[in-house]
Amino acid sequence: MIYHANSAERERLIAGLRQLADFLGQNPDVPAPRYAEVIVFPARGSNAEMFAEVDVVAQQIGATASSADSPAGHYSAARDFGPVRYRAVAIPNRDDETSEG
């Protein structure tokens, strides 16, 4: 299963985010959240495979991947754009004892 957008889906997402920003800017009475998060997940695989994919995204966004802040052991990397967070997350397989990347 592919979890990342293809080029057409990516363009639609970007356009939709811009439309949302414009809409909220033009309609100040419409409630807006204090923050937003966009999350991508690697395809299911071994923990090592999923963690490696998050490590690649971490490098691309200038972040460090870790599971240190997750009580459930989710391995992630994030970059904030003001109150908007982009995050890549791998949810480890409990039966796979591979340690983080």
Side-chain angles (χ1 to χ4, degrees):
M1 178 179 274
I2 297 173
Y3 286 79
H4 302 140
N6 63 36
S7 60
E9 293 166 332
R10 179 186 180 93
E11 289 304 314
R12 285 195 301 273
L13 173 68
I14 293 167
L17 291 169
R18 288 184 177 132
Q19 290 169 357
L20 174 61
D22 290 343
F23 177 81
L24 291 174
Q26 294 166 5
N27 295 278
D29 292 334
V30 173
R34 292 183 176 161
Y35 59 89
E37 188 164 22
V38 176
I39 304 173
V40 295
F41 298 94
R44 295 303 299 170
S46 70
N47 288 350
E49 291 166 334
M50 293 187 299
F51 295 171
E53 189 168 342
V54 170
D55 287 336
V56 169
V57 174
Q59 184 177 24
Q60 292 170 331
I61 65 173
T64 301
S66 172
S67 61
D69 294 331
S70 173
H74 296 175
Y75 189 68
S76 67
R79 180 171 175 180
D80 295 329
F81 299 86
V84 178
R85 174 171 276 193
Y86 175 94
R87 188 163 63 119
V89 179
I91 300 172
N93 301 305
R94 291 293 164 211
D95 58 345
D96 183 344
E97 296 299 321
T98 305
S99 63
E100 67 181 56

